[in-house]
Amino acid sequence: MKYSGIGGQAVLEGIMMMNRDTYAVAVRRPDGGIEVEKKEYHSITEKSPILRLPFIRGVFRFADSMIVGMRTLNYSAEIYASDDSEEEELSKFELWLNRTFGEKVEKVVVGAVMVFSFLAAIGIFMLLPLFLAGFFRRLTASDHLVAFLEGIIRVVIFILYIKLVSRMEDINRTFMYHGSEHKCINCIEHGLPLTVENVRASSKEHKRCGTSFILIVMAVSILVFMAVPAHTVLTRVLSRILLIPVIAGISYEVLQKAGRSGSRISDIVARPGLWMQALTTKEPTDDMIEVAIRATEAVFDWRAFLRENFPGAGTPEGETEASA
């Protein structure tokens, strides 16, 4: 396997693929066509060399993914919901937003959703496990044991959450698109031409997946919270919030090392995340794979990548070297 540097995200009826400062969103329109938008995004880490230092960059890379993710989700929702035959009337709240914020309304909405999502995630995956684990303090005086049980509860809550939302049809289809994103990247990184047939045969699990990152965060949080003493409810709550950047920074470095290496140790580290991806990725249909290929080709020259890294890979049937 050769590291390509591309990454992506499933959106509503589509895929976002990113390569360095360029990302593209491909979305299946209601009429069956594929809409592709290509844009640039410059990472927050480019503003200062300090932000690119190990264990610091991970926090801002996570913020980058949140920003790009929200933008692409909004775009995909607009394309998927578009219908030229009907013009949907704006609600009073939407009209108020337009009057109040004007051209900045999209940035305001994206910012508000990001803040709400972040606070909800802290509440569900950080504070709720803390309070549930507190019941075990009646049975043991060991803070380390309670911190470990808190981590286990956190993983169980995450699994139950994924299981619950996957019952929704739109979410289940998003998980299928998530699978097509992984398959495209695996196809390229294993030296295969990017065709529907090759993508379909590729794995739907990938080491650098965000699901793996979340699981690594949970594992790192267990170790961090076990190492940091907190003897009152207030200090425990504050530590769960204030140590989030530290945990994210460490987890990012672990994911990067495991995702780019083929060593036995990295495989062991990545294995739980790959198991967890069985919940967040599903086998896609061929039309979903077509969308993923369009998004990939908009930002990445996979033919040049194969010629450089896999000289004997060849080209898809019917394509000559000259046309490639």
Side-chain angles (χ1 to χ4, degrees):
M1 189 184 86
K2 295 287 185 178
Y3 174 68
S4 65
I6 59 174
Q9 172 186 313
V11 295
L12 187 61
E13 289 301 320
I15 291 289
M16 180 275 290
M17 285 290 191
M18 190 164 193
N19 181 24
R20 302 191 182 191
D21 294 332
T22 306
Y23 70 89
V25 193
V27 182
R28 182 73 70 178
R29 295 195 306 264
D31 63 7
I34 300 175
E35 191 81 17
V36 180
E37 180 184 64
K38 183 178 177 180
K39 285 190 173 184
E40 286 191 357
Y41 175 81
H42 296 278
S43 172
I44 299 172
T45 59
E46 295 181 11
K47 295 181 179 180
S48 171
I50 296 176
L51 303 183
R52 295 193 291 273
L53 293 175
F55 302 104
I56 294 177
R57 61 188 176 183
V59 180
F60 299 96
R61 287 293 186 183
F62 178 71
D64 287 336
S65 65
M66 289 282 290
I67 294 170
V68 175
M70 287 305 306
R71 289 179 180 178
T72 55
L73 277 172
N74 285 342
Y75 173 76
S76 67
E78 290 174 4
I79 298 301
Y80 178 65
S82 64
D83 188 344
D84 295 336
S85 63
E86 295 182 12
E87 288 192 13
E88 195 172 318
E89 188 175 343
L90 296 178
S91 66
K92 292 182 179 179
F93 179 66
E94 290 171 322
L95 291 172
W96 176 82
L97 286 175
N98 289 333
R99 286 197 306 269
T100 305
F101 299 105
E103 296 180 355
K104 297 182 179 180
V105 64
E106 183 178 352
K107 292 183 178 180
V108 172
V109 172
V110 169
V113 172
M114 284 180 59
V115 170
F116 175 79
S117 301
F118 184 68
L119 293 177
I122 291 176
I124 296 172
F125 299 113
M126 284 295 179
L127 299 184
L128 179 59
L130 170 65
F131 288 117
L132 291 178
F135 289 105
F136 292 97
R137 294 186 181 279
R138 303 170 186 174
L139 305 176
T140 177
S142 173
D143 288 336
H144 292 88
L145 178 57
V146 174
F148 176 77
L149 292 172
E150 177 189 337
I152 299 301
I153 293 171
R154 186 172 291 114
V155 173
V156 171
I157 289 175
F158 176 69
I159 293 174
L160 291 176
Y161 171 79
I162 295 298
K163 284 289 218 179
L164 182 63
V165 298
S166 65
R167 293 177 176 273
M168 301 168 62
E169 182 179 355
D170 287 343
I171 298 298
N172 190 60
R173 287 185 61 80
T174 301
F175 287 170
M176 294 171 72
Y177 275 105
H178 190 193
S180 69
E181 173 225 328
H182 285 187
K183 282 174 171 283
C184 270
I185 298 175
N186 275 319
C187 179
I188 293 169
E189 294 186 339
H190 285 83
L192 297 174
L194 198 62
T195 65
V196 172
E197 292 75 17
N198 287 337
V199 172
R200 189 193 308 123
S202 299
S203 173
K204 65 181 180 67
E205 284 84 34
H206 198 283
K207 287 183 178 181
R208 299 195 307 275
C209 175
T211 305
S212 296
F213 175 74
I214 293 173
L215 196 63
I216 291 172
V217 165
M218 293 181 181
V220 170
S221 69
I222 293 175
L223 299 177
V224 170
F225 295 148
M226 287 177 68
V228 176
H231 303 296
T232 66
V233 174
L234 179 60
T235 55
R236 285 194 286 269
V237 169
L238 289 177
S239 67
R240 272 45 177 183
I241 297 173
L242 297 179
L243 289 174
I244 288 176
V246 176
I247 295 169
I250 297 173
S251 302
Y252 177 81
E253 301 302 325
V254 173
L255 181 68
Q256 289 297 300
K257 292 294 184 183
R260 300 188 186 197
S261 172
S263 68
R264 184 175 297 274
I265 294 177
S266 70
D267 288 343
I268 293 173
V269 171
R271 185 56 53 188
L274 297 177
W275 290 337
M276 190 68 75
Q277 287 175 44
L279 298 176
T280 62
T281 61
K282 304 294 182 184
E283 287 293 336
T285 58
D286 285 358
D287 63 323
M288 292 177 175
I289 291 174
E290 291 171 0
V291 174
I293 290 175
R294 287 285 299 276
T296 304
E297 291 184 329
V299 297
F300 187 76
D301 187 349
W302 59 267
R303 295 176 179 85
F305 178 80
L306 293 190
R307 286 196 296 270
E308 179 181 351
N309 296 280
F310 303 92
T315 55
E317 186 179 348
E319 220 179 78
T320 65
E321 254 332 286
S323 67

